[in-house]
Amino acid sequence: MQSTAAVSISASAIATGGGARSEAARRPGGLRVCGLRGEALACPSLRISPVPTRLAVARAAAATNGAVAGSGGFDYDLVIIGAGVGGHGAALHAVEEGLKTAIIEGDVVGGTCVNRGCVPSKALLAVSGRMRELHDEHHMKSLGLQVSSAGYDRQAVADHANNLASKIRSNLTNSMKALGVDILTGVGTIVGRQKVRYGKAGFPDKEITARNIIIATGSTPFVPKGIEIDGKTVFTSDHALKLESVPDWIAIVGSGYIGLEFSDVYTALGSEVTFVEALDQLMPGFDPEIAKLAQRVLINPRKIDYHTGVFASKITPAKDGKPVLIELIDAKTKEHKETLEVDAALIATGRAPFTKGLGLENINVVTQRGFVPVDERMRVMDADGNVVPNLYCIGDANGKLMLAHAASAQGISVVEQISGKDHILNHLSIPAACFTHPEISMVGLTEPQAREQADKEGFEVDVVKTSFKANTKALAENEGDGIAKLIYRRDTGEILGVHILGLHAADLIHEASNAIALGTRVQDIKFAVHAHPTLSEVLDELFKAAKVNSGVSHSVNEPVAA
């Protein structure tokens, strides 16, 4: 039987004064136990011993006590509406906690991430990364390689993305079935307190009861007014992932994560790209310094031009031999600026919550711009500001952080609460990544956000940076473009944010996100050991460069313009 390490601590050992309690309250679980925390490991009353997994414990408890999951007059302990990544994560954790669980899915298991988002897009980006490398003659020669002209089969590339989505969807379905999660097909609607109706067209509806309900219905692409979608020449990311064509010239409306990743795909496959961005700068959601460098690396050298500070007020699909027409107006004055004529247009203006038809009016819940209002524990709030008992909402539908892994983390947090263990998820510890070539990743606050918080709370912010150009592994790969940036409190060493642009940035960010989640300070993590030569040493140098209480802003290896 597999086992996990359990930490047993006597009551006297964890009793603390007010100051210590205040510090612990900021950390999930109250107590920080980390390999870098010597005082925790030195505690004489701390003992680490192997114990069965929680699933084994739950099963054993049920067998011993004669407990029946789903008892108490309810069909289920937990019903989840929506079988995306968030619902799937919640379902698996619920079974681990011994809860009788059902998940309702009106479309296909996996939701947006698996079928129309993260998964197929990464398949396309894997292709674009290899195409980009094979076409970079200078890069290949620098490694001593000779490569003949590289090409691609569009349909085979599209099939790769579709096959990956199918495989992951099957894996998710099988994992839930294997653990005993009931997968109910149909559209779920809340008809009252702890009551859900579900069904599909042509079949009678069924009604079930649940001790607890989680809404996990996700989101759909947001299309602004004035834009006509035909799915062929004017389309959203849902259509683009099918890769039915590779246009010679495509306009991408929006330069956030989605737009930036598709610009990487299309330019690698031979398209010219024009960005249309409503704000005054490209990549507005990124740390400004990272965005500026990313523009020099990901946009300026490629066949990409851009218009900033403009709205696409009207987009007309191509027809009768005419191109796609995009009317641009000034974002501030609303005056017409120009009309673009392109082969295709991808609308990457964000996503909108999919919450219509949930029956929220039956429980006095009013959405806010389509989002379901929740508190810090993901509990749904009604129109009067009161918590709706036994009802939760996770993922894109609540709008707190529209990332698949955030939805899963929220779902697990909710199950912890349902199981009697209070848990609040620290959203500032959740990382995000943009899978361009090179990648961009981030966790916590941007530098402007951190300085704004510092001004309000009266502390000083320091920033340090390291360059990939000084990293042996990056140089071995001839991939030295990029930086890592640490934002932290000078007085305490608290990590406020980390931003990375460079090779495998999406993998590197997790050391920083885990440090934030555990409350690890820079003065502690600087003693962590990193293998040499690895890319992880970019962060090793970053943490070592931080000077707590130095009183002087310090920076090493300032980034060199690409």
Side-chain angles (χ1 to χ4, degrees):
M1 177 183 295
Q2 292 182 336
S3 64
T4 183
V7 179
S8 301
I9 305 172
S10 69
S12 60
I14 61 174
T16 60
R21 181 181 181 278
S22 176
E23 175 66 18
R26 300 173 60 187
R27 301 188 295 269
L31 177 69
R32 173 171 57 201
V33 179
C34 170
L36 298 174
R37 281 285 159 186
E39 68 272 22
L41 295 180
C43 178
S45 58
L46 178 70
R47 62 181 184 274
I48 299 177
S49 58
V51 299
T53 62
R54 280 187 289 182
L55 178 56
V57 171
R59 287 173 173 168
T64 301
N65 302 325
V68 179
S71 62
F74 294 98
D75 297 316
Y76 294 95
D77 292 314
L78 176 64
V79 166
I80 304 165
I81 304 175
V85 171
H88 174 265
L92 263 57
H93 193 55
V95 172
E96 185 179 334
E97 292 295 329
L99 304 178
K100 184 180 181 183
T101 304
I103 194 163
I104 301 173
E105 180 51 62
D107 186 14
V108 287
V109 170
T112 294
C113 174
V114 172
N115 301 287
R116 300 173 297 278
C118 324
V119 171
S121 68
K122 298 307 137 336
L124 296 183
L125 284 159
V127 172
S128 72
R130 284 164 174 77
M131 283 295 295
R132 196 172 298 285
E133 186 172 21
L134 291 172
H135 281 188
D136 190 342
E137 185 177 353
H138 174 74
H139 177 71
M140 285 298 178
K141 283 186 176 180
S142 70
L143 296 173
L145 299 176
Q146 297 178 356
V147 180
S148 58
S149 179
Y152 67 92
D153 181 330
R154 182 201 59 78
Q155 187 58 54
V157 173
D159 290 344
H160 170 54
N162 182 63
N163 291 340
L164 178 62
S166 297
K167 181 178 181 179
I168 301 300
R169 181 170 59 246
S170 177
N171 289 346
L172 295 185
T173 303
N174 292 338
S175 67
M176 289 192 291
K177 286 182 177 179
L179 288 174
V181 176
D182 287 349
I183 301 176
L184 311 177
T185 303
V187 177
T189 303
I190 299 170
V191 294
R193 281 278 308 277
Q194 300 172 295
K195 292 181 181 180
V196 177
R197 180 185 298 134
Y198 73 96
K200 52 185 179 179
F203 295 87
D205 289 346
K206 297 181 180 179
E207 189 171 298
I208 55 177
T209 60
R211 188 183 301 276
N212 296 282
I213 300 169
I214 295 178
I215 297 169
T217 48
S219 63
T220 58
F222 170 70
V223 180
K225 294 180 180 179
I227 297 178
E228 181 183 346
I229 301 291
D230 69 350
K232 299 293 183 182
T233 61
V234 181
F235 45 80
T236 68
S237 57
D238 284 2
H239 307 100
L241 289 166
K242 299 176 183 178
L243 200 69
E244 293 181 351
S245 66
V246 179
D248 292 332
W249 184 10
I250 182 169
I252 299 180
V253 183
S255 62
Y257 295 85
I258 298 172
L260 205 57
E261 287 187 350
F262 273 106
S263 76
D264 195 290
V265 171
Y266 281 119
T267 54
L269 298 183
S271 300
E272 294 185 26
V273 170
T274 295
F275 273 118
V276 176
E277 174 57 56
L279 297 181
D280 292 332
Q281 68 173 46
L282 294 174
M283 296 170 276
F286 297 84
D287 180 89
E289 185 175 14
I290 297 295
K292 187 176 181 180
L293 180 59
Q295 183 172 328
R296 295 203 298 267
V297 175
L298 299 174
I299 293 179
N300 293 350
R302 301 176 181 178
K303 293 181 179 180
I304 301 175
D305 66 353
Y306 52 88
H307 301 265
T308 57
V310 295
F311 283 123
S313 62
K314 184 178 181 181
I315 300 182
T316 306
K319 53 187 173 183
D320 301 328
K322 295 181 180 180
V324 174
L325 300 177
I326 304 177
E327 296 183 17
L328 301 181
I329 62 172
D330 187 278
K332 296 177 181 177
T333 66
K334 303 302 186 290
E335 295 179 356
H336 180 267
K337 294 196 70 173
E338 62 180 299
T339 299
L340 299 179
E341 296 183 359
V342 297
D343 298 311
L346 166 62
I347 312 306
T349 48
R351 301 187 65 83
F354 183 63
T355 54
K356 290 184 178 179
L358 273 173
L360 296 174
E361 66 279 1
N362 296 327
I363 48 174
N364 191 33
V365 173
V366 178
T367 60
Q368 301 170 357
R369 295 179 295 111
F371 295 105
V372 177
V374 296
D375 67 3
E376 61 183 358
R377 290 177 173 82
M378 309 302 125
R379 297 179 298 189
V380 174
M381 310 297 290
D382 67 17
D384 301 317
N386 301 314
V387 171
V388 179
N390 309 101
L391 180 63
Y392 304 84
C393 180
I394 64 172
D396 289 5
N398 70 32
K400 280 186 172 290
L401 193 58
M402 298 177 80
L403 297 167
H405 49 281
S408 182
Q410 290 172 359
I412 291 170
S413 177
V414 167
V415 172
E416 285 288 285
Q417 296 167 53
I418 291 173
S419 302
K421 295 162 286 187
D422 190 28
H423 186 274
I424 297 177
L425 179 65
N426 178 9
H427 285 79
L428 285 178
S429 71
I430 298 177
C434 185
F435 294 84
T436 46
H437 298 89
E439 297 172 343
I440 307 172
S441 63
M442 64 223 71
V443 65
L445 304 176
T446 63
E447 185 176 346
Q449 290 170 339
R451 295 197 181 281
E452 181 180 356
Q453 180 177 319
D455 289 341
K456 289 180 180 178
E457 299 182 14
F459 62 84
E460 291 184 277
V461 167
D462 209 346
V463 175
V464 294
K465 307 161 202 169
T466 53
S467 173
F468 278 67
K469 293 184 186 300
N471 179 266
T472 302
K473 185 65 161 57
L475 293 176
E477 299 276 350
N478 204 14
E479 296 279 0
D481 286 333
I483 65 169
K485 176 177 180 178
L486 166 66
I487 306 160
Y488 67 102
R489 284 187 60 153
R490 184 182 301 176
D491 56 346
T492 65
E494 179 184 356
I495 299 172
L496 301 176
V498 174
H499 303 262
I500 308 172
L501 166 66
L503 185 65
H504 295 303
D507 298 308
L508 294 175
I509 196 65
H510 295 92
E511 182 175 8
S513 66
N514 289 338
I516 293 176
L518 294 170
T520 308
R521 309 302 173 112
V522 292
Q523 59 264 42
D524 299 318
I525 201 171
K526 70 189 297 181
F527 294 110
V529 180
H530 298 73
H532 174 78
T534 64
L535 293 172
S536 70
E537 290 175 294
V538 171
L539 288 180
D540 184 39
E541 293 297 323
L542 189 68
F543 296 133
K544 282 179 167 58
K547 306 296 182 185
V548 178
N549 288 323
S550 64
V552 179
S553 180
H554 179 67
S555 179
V556 298
N557 296 327
E558 289 287 350
V560 180

